[in-house]
Amino acid sequence: MQIIHKVDDFLHTIFPNIKDENHIISVLEDFYSYGPYKPKVRIENGFVIVDIDINNISNQEIDFRKVISFCENGNFSEAKPILLKLIDKNPTISEYHRILGQILSDEGEVEDAINSLIYALRWDSKNSYALIMMGNIFAKEKDDIETALKYYDQALIINPSDNITINNIGANLLQQNKFEEAKEYFYKALKLNDKYPNTHYALAIIAESEGDLHSAFYSFIQTLKCSKENDFLYKTSSQSINNIVNKIFKTDSGKNIFRKYRVILEQKGGVEIDIVKDETIPTLAKIELAENYNRDKHIVKFKDTSPYYPHLIMHELVHLDFILDAKKDETNLLFISSHQHKLKFIKSIDASLKKLNKIGMTEEKIAQFSSDLFEGFNSQIFNAPIDLFVENYLFNEFPELQPFQFASLINIIQSGIVTGTDKNTSDLIPKDIFSKSKIYNLVHAFQLKDLYGINLISKFNATKLEIDQAITFYNEYLEYKDDKSPAEEYELLKHWAEDLKVNDFFELVGENQYRQRSNVDDYLDSLEKDPFSVNEKDPIKEREMKTFLDGQKEMGLNMAVVMFMVDALQYFKNVNKELIKKIAFEIALQGAHGYRPDEDNYRVNSIPNKLFSGYHILAYYYVSWALALPEVLHELQLPFDEEYKMASKLNI
């Protein structure tokens, strides 16, 4: 069969990878090759002529396939005579010689194998399989690494972007315990594809052999993250990681991490920190802030019953670090749960408590059960979103802590799985609370998968709705993760609680405001200086105002507010300025902690017999100050300037 192309612009159109005239033959040879069979290509009188021996290919293809099949099954004795006949008929096929070299090598005929591979390369110097096999023979059989590297490097010249070829070269050197030479190839392979698990696994094996435990841990983790759960490498790496982690536990590296971090935080906050072992605490670790206990130092208490306790201590110290950042920014919040919050919680699970009574549980035990459940669930509401940021910070800022974090997080999540799948527990705990607790735990399972490649999500036996909600929460966290500002983690806490409808069980308050109000003298002094809290820096009010303002921007002109302002202008039309000022002050004082646009039933004593909706009271708020105190109107930060302009025109 003969194919003829004219050498012109159209040839470049249908073969765009032709760079110049000298490149034509090689491009067409590659295109018209069939397996190991290459065409003859020549250029004559402005035409490129391709001769393809169809008959020869057809006749030899059947026998060649037989050879391949026999070799794949290790039946070299059947393959060899067929292959020798093929070579005798057509000695120009490089791949015939390469496969014969492989057979001879497996039979222990090293010199004959080398000779066959040399023939393969003489007929096609770009036969990368022959080059790698030559390198393998010189590395393994002759212990001649220098010569082996020559063949390997030549294979890389031919396939510089083939990470698998490069990885396989490294693997062959690794088998010969040539660690340094192997690492060079593995690093090259990683640059081309850092998602190939075999390369990470090989580097982990080398690091473990060299006693570099932390590098071995890192590479085994990368293997997990790049593998599928049922893969051999995933299962093998999971077992190997546990061995590495146990070896690291026996060192003092964990203690050194939290000791250094403690010094940094002491300098940052100006308060001494004690780290104390205490087997009496109800959790594995806890921090007691100095200001909450009227002490001159913070105390981190921990149990050392588990070898990963350094992570637990570091976790508490990061909580303190976040608090110090928020305090500096005057945005720190406190999570407060009062008796009233507890009553709302108990009311929400009343039906479940009645069932407990019916099965014979005493009133005293029910009271204790509901109290413990309230405290435990509130702890989860508070910690679940914040702990995501804490663990992310630990993972990125303290890589040497990762083996401890790895073991600790797995233990925590597995505990959540046990609780979340235990029938006795599910029978006792109200289904609604049980489900929402599982959602909070699932979010951390998603983080574990992201950080360490360990997927425990399916073990929760969660419903689709629970998983979907957890995914929504985790995706929201990811939006904040990389550029979190101080105290921003509380926004997630608030959003999640609202979505799960558990926001009635606690209250978030600004720390400065809470502590100030706890001190009567300070509170009265601030009230006298700023009775309407216009100049007060309250993080709760500021965040709510930001949300409100963002919402107003998206909404554009609010016609409801316009009409409410028309109502206000008409009401104030015959009211003297002093009374308007009095009303303005009353609305401001009453709204010191903010008005909610979606709420109703607001009242103003100076405007009797009138109920206000959220936007209605905000309209009166703006108009009263615009009329009586225009010079300080801007300090209210109410985004209704355009609405007021339109209302003024409509009121004419």
Side-chain angles (χ1 to χ4, degrees):
M1 178 180 180
Q2 192 174 77
I3 300 169
I4 301 174
H5 294 287
K6 187 176 182 180
V7 180
D8 57 10
D9 290 341
F10 184 69
L11 181 65
H12 289 268
T13 300
I14 60 176
F15 289 101
N17 51 336
I18 294 177
K19 296 177 182 178
D20 52 45
E21 300 299 316
N22 298 324
H23 200 220
I24 292 175
I25 291 178
S26 61
V27 169
L28 269 63
E29 275 184 350
D30 287 342
F31 181 80
Y32 289 109
S33 291
Y34 178 75
Y37 311 107
K38 290 191 175 182
K40 294 180 180 178
V41 182
R42 64 187 188 280
I43 298 175
E44 293 180 1
N45 303 318
F47 290 89
V48 58
I49 302 167
V50 183
D51 290 311
I52 303 175
D53 191 345
I54 295 295
N55 293 328
N56 196 29
I57 290 175
S58 178
N59 292 332
Q60 294 189 3
E61 177 66 12
I62 296 173
D63 286 339
F64 183 67
R65 291 295 173 193
K66 287 181 181 178
V67 169
I68 297 298
S69 178
F70 284 136
C71 288
E72 286 177 347
N73 293 304
N75 196 348
F76 300 134
S77 61
E78 295 286 343
K80 193 173 178 180
I82 300 173
L83 188 58
L84 289 172
K85 288 181 181 179
L86 288 173
I87 292 173
D88 186 57
K89 290 179 182 178
N90 193 348
T92 65
I93 304 297
S94 173
E95 195 65 0
Y96 290 172
H97 297 285
R98 197 273 302 177
I99 294 174
L100 179 59
Q102 180 178 344
I103 292 174
L104 292 168
S105 176
D106 288 338
E107 291 177 341
E109 302 293 337
V110 176
E111 296 301 328
D112 288 341
I114 291 174
N115 290 333
S116 288
L117 292 171
I118 289 293
Y119 273 108
L121 293 171
R122 285 173 178 172
W123 288 111
D124 182 3
S125 62
K126 295 181 179 179
N127 189 329
S128 58
Y129 292 112
L131 289 167
I132 291 174
M133 194 175 296
M134 283 288 277
N136 294 347
I137 290 174
F138 277 96
K140 183 178 180 180
E141 304 297 339
K142 292 183 169 293
D143 195 25
D144 184 352
I145 297 299
E146 183 178 353
T147 302
L149 292 178
K150 289 180 181 179
Y151 285 102
Y152 287 149
D153 288 339
Q154 189 62 33
L156 294 190
I157 292 172
I158 296 166
N159 295 311
S161 60
D162 185 356
N163 71 288
I164 295 178
T165 296
I166 300 172
N167 179 84
N168 291 342
I169 293 172
N172 290 322
L173 291 168
L174 174 59
Q175 288 179 350
Q176 309 309 310
N177 293 324
K178 307 296 182 182
F179 292 160
E180 290 304 315
E181 293 86 353
K183 280 192 286 189
E184 288 187 23
Y185 286 95
F186 288 132
Y187 290 143
K188 288 177 182 177
L190 274 188
K191 287 182 179 179
L192 294 171
N193 183 0
D194 62 359
K195 304 299 181 186
Y196 189 54
N198 300 55
T199 307
H200 291 292
Y201 182 77
L203 287 170
I205 295 298
I206 293 174
E208 184 177 10
S209 299
E210 294 178 336
D212 187 350
L213 299 179
H214 283 274
S215 293
F217 174 82
Y218 171 82
S219 292
F220 277 130
I221 290 297
Q222 299 310 307
T223 306
L224 288 179
K225 294 169 81 169
C226 297
S227 303
K228 295 180 180 179
E229 290 178 57
N230 294 324
D231 289 352
F232 170 78
L233 287 183
Y234 184 94
K235 295 176 181 177
T236 305
S237 295
S238 298
Q239 297 169 355
S240 299
I241 286 173
N242 291 327
N243 295 331
I244 295 294
V245 167
N246 287 329
K247 290 178 182 178
I248 293 174
F249 284 162
K250 295 176 182 178
T251 69
D252 285 334
S253 60
K255 294 179 182 178
N256 295 333
I257 298 167
F258 68 71
R259 286 169 180 166
K260 292 177 182 178
Y261 191 35
R262 174 179 64 180
V263 173
I264 292 171
L265 293 183
E266 285 177 337
Q267 294 173 344
K268 182 175 182 177
V271 178
E272 187 179 343
I273 303 170
D274 275 355
I275 299 177
V276 181
K277 184 170 75 170
D278 187 344
E279 300 297 336
T280 66
I281 58 175
T283 56
L284 292 174
K286 63 176 290 193
I287 186 168
E288 296 178 353
L289 299 175
E291 54 268 32
N292 292 344
Y293 289 83
N294 293 319
R295 298 181 183 141
D296 59 357
K297 62 177 67 175
H298 306 302
I299 299 178
V300 175
K301 296 182 178 180
F302 71 96
K303 294 178 181 178
D304 66 351
T305 51
S306 60
Y308 47 76
Y309 73 87
H311 163 256
L312 302 171
I313 294 172
M314 288 292 288
H315 181 97
E316 299 303 319
L317 290 176
V318 174
H319 270 292
L320 174 60
D321 202 349
F322 284 3
I323 290 170
L324 293 176
D325 287 339
K327 282 187 173 186
K328 183 179 179 181
D329 200 46
E330 296 185 38
T331 55
N332 193 46
L333 303 181
L334 298 180
F335 185 92
I336 306 296
S337 57
S338 66
H339 182 65
Q340 294 302 316
H341 293 122
K342 187 174 182 180
L343 290 178
K344 289 181 180 179
F345 175 80
I346 292 173
K347 184 178 179 180
S348 73
I349 62 170
D350 183 62
S352 297
L353 297 181
K354 287 179 179 177
K355 289 181 181 179
L356 296 179
N357 185 258
K358 286 182 180 179
I359 64 174
M361 187 178 287
T362 65
E363 292 292 338
E364 183 180 355
K365 286 187 176 180
I366 291 174
Q368 186 61 53
F369 170 79
S370 58
S371 180
D372 291 344
L373 187 60
F374 172 69
E375 295 296 334
F377 188 53
N378 255 4
S379 175
Q380 195 173 29
I381 292 171
F382 174 75
N383 284 298
I386 297 176
D387 284 354
L388 291 175
F389 293 101
V390 170
E391 297 303 339
N392 183 64
Y393 185 82
L394 285 172
F395 182 84
N396 290 308
E397 298 298 324
F398 302 94
E400 67 274 26
L401 185 74
Q402 287 179 9
F404 299 90
Q405 183 186 40
F406 169 82
S408 182
L409 290 183
I410 288 178
N411 179 71
I412 291 169
I413 291 169
Q414 286 178 334
S415 297
I417 291 170
V418 170
T419 302
T421 55
D422 181 71
K423 189 177 185 305
N424 293 329
T425 303
S426 63
D427 288 344
L428 283 175
I429 297 177
K431 290 183 179 179
D432 184 55
I433 300 299
F434 189 78
S435 176
K436 290 169 182 176
S437 175
K438 185 179 290 188
I439 290 169
Y440 279 124
N441 285 329
L442 275 167
V443 174
H444 287 277
F446 280 107
Q447 186 181 45
L448 176 69
K449 184 174 181 291
D450 270 3
L451 295 182
Y452 291 108
I454 297 292
N455 188 352
L456 299 178
I457 297 165
S458 62
K459 296 185 181 298
F460 280 91
N461 296 334
T463 65
K464 184 177 184 303
L465 288 175
E466 289 167 343
I467 291 176
D468 288 347
Q469 185 64 73
I471 290 172
T472 298
F473 285 172
Y474 191 66
N475 286 338
E476 185 179 6
Y477 152 73
L478 293 177
E479 292 176 7
Y480 286 80
K481 178 174 72 78
D482 294 327
D483 57 353
K484 183 189 82 67
S485 59
E488 202 166 22
E489 59 269 26
Y490 295 112
E491 289 189 13
L492 243 61
L493 191 162
K494 185 172 178 290
H495 294 167
W496 294 7
E498 289 171 350
D499 288 350
L500 293 178
K501 295 181 172 55
V502 295
N503 51 311
D504 284 341
F505 305 155
F506 66 93
E507 181 183 1
L508 284 174
V509 299
E511 180 176 8
N512 290 345
Q513 289 68 39
Y514 178 81
R515 298 197 187 282
Q516 190 180 67
R517 284 167 175 74
S518 299
N519 186 311
V520 177
D521 291 337
D522 289 346
Y523 177 64
L524 291 175
D525 182 59
S526 66
L527 194 62
E528 182 178 343
K529 292 178 179 177
D530 188 15
F532 306 113
S533 303
V534 172
N535 298 313
E536 181 183 46
K537 185 176 177 63
D538 186 336
I540 293 291
K541 286 173 62 178
E542 288 182 357
R543 290 186 186 280
E544 289 184 348
M545 177 59 74
K546 182 180 182 299
T547 301
F548 177 58
L549 292 175
D550 290 344
Q552 288 303 124
K553 286 180 182 177
E554 292 179 8
M555 184 184 297
L557 193 68
N558 190 324
M559 288 307 299
V561 172
V562 171
M563 300 314 297
F564 285 138
M565 284 184 167
V566 171
D567 174 53
L569 288 168
Q570 291 175 351
Y571 179 84
F572 289 128
K573 189 173 183 179
N574 298 316
V575 178
N576 64 63
K577 190 172 182 178
E578 286 303 313
L579 181 54
I580 296 175
K581 185 182 293 187
K582 178 184 176 184
I583 292 171
F585 284 163
E586 184 181 341
I587 295 174
L589 185 59
Q590 181 176 293
H593 295 290
Y595 288 111
R596 294 186 178 276
D598 56 344
E599 289 190 8
D600 295 316
N601 300 320
Y602 287 110
R603 296 179 183 273
V604 180
N605 291 332
S606 300
I607 308 177
N609 304 319
K610 194 174 184 72
L611 284 176
F612 294 87
S613 66
Y615 275 121
H616 200 175
I617 194 72
L618 287 170
Y620 268 69
Y621 193 177
Y622 188 101
V623 172
S624 62
W625 281 70
L627 296 174
L629 299 154
E631 66 277 5
V632 291
L633 176 63
H634 66 280
E635 294 184 7
L636 301 181
Q637 298 184 46
L638 290 172
F640 298 135
D641 294 347
E642 295 304 315
E643 284 80 356
Y644 185 65
K645 289 178 184 178
M646 179 170 283
S648 299
K649 293 177 181 178
L650 293 175
N651 191 51
I652 295 175

